[in-house]
C-alpha cells in the first residue's frame, strides 16, 4: 500500500493556545477533500521556526502576534501589499522559497463589502495598532475617506501620516461625521465584555459599524450600535475572510467560506456556554 503523506500547514505565534485557525482551516481542508493538516505552533524562537518550516517542508503558515512584522527579514520574498503594510500574516512555501503575504486588511474589506460599497464613504478608524494599519491601508485602497481616532496621540498621528489622513484624539471622536466606523482596539474583548471605546451617542442610524474583536461575537460596541439602528459586522467576519484568502493562496482553490464560518461559530458558541 502506498501512503501519501498529508501536506502540513499551521499558525505560528505566542501564545497560540486559543487560536481558532486550526478549527477553521481543518474544516475547510476536510470539506474540499484536500489531504492536509493544520496545526498550532507556539514558539519563542522565530528564526528557528522559519528554518524548521523550510526543513520540514511545511507548505503554509499563518503568522500572528507577536511575529507579524518580525518575521519579514526571514522570508525570501514579500508580496507588495505585505511590504507596503509592513506586516505578514501568511507565508506560502513554494518548493522551499518562502513568500510573505498580508490578508488581514483584505479580510476586513471583504467583510465590510458584504454590507456596504466602501468607495467614497467616510470612515472613522478607531485604534492605531497593527490591525488598524492593515485595515486602514486596504480601506484607503478601497476609496474610503479615513479619520484615525486613537487614545495615544503619537501613535495615532503616526498611523494617520502613513494613511495620509486626519487624526483626532479618541476622546473627541464625537466631532467626526462618518458613514462607517471600524473598531480595532482590544477594548470590549473577553473578559472585559462590558467595555466600549466609543460613546453610544456616536452612532447614527445609517452607520455601518464593524468590530475587529470576535470574542464575544457581539461586543458592547456592536450591541449599542445595533440598538441605535446601525448595521453591524462582527470581527468573526473579518477573521473568516482573512483565513479564506489564506486558503486561496495555499491551495489555489475557492475557499468554503460558509463551512469555515460554521466551524468557528460552533467553537465560540460552545465556549460561551461553558463560561
Ligand atoms: P495593538 O497593535 O496592540 O493595538 C492596540 C490599539 O488599541 C492601540 O491603538 C491602542 O491605543 C488601543 N488601545 C488599547 N487599549 C486601549 C484602551 N483601554 N482604550 C483605548 N484604546 C486602547 O493590537 P492589534 O494587533 O492592532 O489588535 C487589536 C484588536 O484587533 C485585538 O482585539 C485583536 O484580537 C483584533 N484583531 C482581530 C482580527 C480579526 O481577524 N478579526 C485580526 C487582527 C486583530 P494606544 O496607542 O493609545 O495604546
Amino acid at each position: 500500500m502506498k501512503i501519501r503523506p498529508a501536506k502540513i500547514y499551521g499558525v505560528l505565534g505566542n501564545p497560540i493556545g486559543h487560536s481558532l485557525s486550526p478549527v477553521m482551516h481543518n474544516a475547510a481542508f476536510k470539506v474540499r477533500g484536500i489531504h492536509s493538516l493544520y496545526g498550532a505552533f507556539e514558539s519563542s524562537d522565530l528564526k528557528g521556526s522559519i528554518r524548521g518550516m523550510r526543513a520540514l517542508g511545511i507548505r503554509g503558515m499563518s503568522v500572528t502576534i507577536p511575529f507579524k512584522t518580525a518575521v519579514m527579514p526571514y522570508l525570501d520574498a514579500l508580496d507588495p501589499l505585505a511590504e507596503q503594510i509592513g506586516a505578514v500574516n501568511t507565508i506560502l512555501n513554494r518548493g522551499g522559497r518562502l513568500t510573505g503575504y498580508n490578508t488581514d486588511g483584505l479580510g476586513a474589506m471583504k467583510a465590510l463589502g458584504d454590507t456596504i460599497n466602501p468607495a467614497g464613504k467616510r470612515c472613522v478608524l478607531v485604534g492605531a495598532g497593527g490591525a488598524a494599519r492593515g485595515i486602514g491601508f486596504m480601506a484607503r485602497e478601497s476609496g474610503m475617506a479615513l479619520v484615525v481616532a486613537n487614545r495615544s496621540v503619537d501613535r495615532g498621528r503616526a498611523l494617520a501620516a502613513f494613511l495620509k489622513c486626519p487624526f483626532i484624539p479618541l476622546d473627541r471622536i464625537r466631532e467626526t461625521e462618518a458613514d462607517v466606523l471600524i473598531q480595532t482596539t482590544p477594548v470590549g474583548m473577553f473578559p472585559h465584555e462590558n467595555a466600549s471605546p466609543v460613546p453610544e451617542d456616536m452612532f447614527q442610524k445609517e452607520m455601518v459599524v464593524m468590530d475587529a474583536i470576535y470574542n464575544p461575537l457581539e461586543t458592547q460596541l456592536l450591541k449599542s450600535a445595533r440598538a441605535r439602528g446601525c448595521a453591524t459586522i462582527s470581527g468573526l467576519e473579518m477573521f473568516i475572510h482573512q483565513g479564506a484568502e489564506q486558503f486561496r493562496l495555499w491551495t489555489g482553490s475557492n475557499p468554503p467560506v460558509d463551512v469555515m464560518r460554521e466551524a468557528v461559530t460552533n467553537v465560540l458558541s460552545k465556549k460561551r456556554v461553558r463560561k
Side-chain angles (χ1 to χ4, degrees), residues 65 68 104 127-132 150-152 155 170 184-187 189 212-214 235 238-239 242:
I65 292 169
K68 285 187 182 185
D104 278 333
N150 195 52
R151 179 181 61 177
S152 75
R155 218 166 165 192
L170 187 56
T184 73
T185 79
V187 181
M189 236 168 113
I213 293 171
Y214 55 82
M238 175 181 161
F239 178 70
Q242 63 80 32

Side-chain angles (χ1 to χ4, degrees), residues 16-149:
I16 209 66
H18 295 97
S19 173
L20 294 166
S21 292
V23 165
M24 175 171 69
H25 283 292
N26 284 319
F29 289 144
K30 190 174 173 193
V31 77
R32 286 280 189 265
I34 296 172
H35 189 43
S36 297
L37 289 171
Y38 186 107
F41 302 107
E42 183 166 304
S43 172
S44 46
D45 175 5
L46 176 59
K47 189 176 177 185
S49 300
I50 298 302
R51 275 180 54 196
M53 182 177 177
R54 293 179 194 277
L56 299 173
I58 293 174
R59 296 299 179 106
M61 198 75 92
S62 307
V63 182
T64 188
I65 292 169
F67 299 136
K68 285 187 182 185
T69 300
V71 75
M72 295 171 78
Y74 300 116
L75 306 177
D76 302 308
L78 292 172
D79 179 66
L81 187 59
E83 193 164 17
Q84 282 172 294
I85 292 171
V88 160
N89 80 326
T90 311
I91 305 172
L92 171 59
N93 183 353
R94 287 189 192 89
R97 184 177 161 80
L98 305 189
T99 304
Y101 295 84
N102 191 309
T103 71
D104 278 333
L106 198 59
M109 285 303 112
K110 289 227 170 200
L112 190 65
D114 286 342
T115 301
I116 191 174
N117 175 0
K121 301 292 186 308
R122 299 162 302 172
C123 173
V124 188
L125 185 63
V126 182
R133 197 174 161 93
I135 295 170
F137 187 86
M138 287 308 291
R140 200 191 63 178
E141 293 290 292
S142 309
M144 299 188 105
L146 291 170
V147 177
V148 171

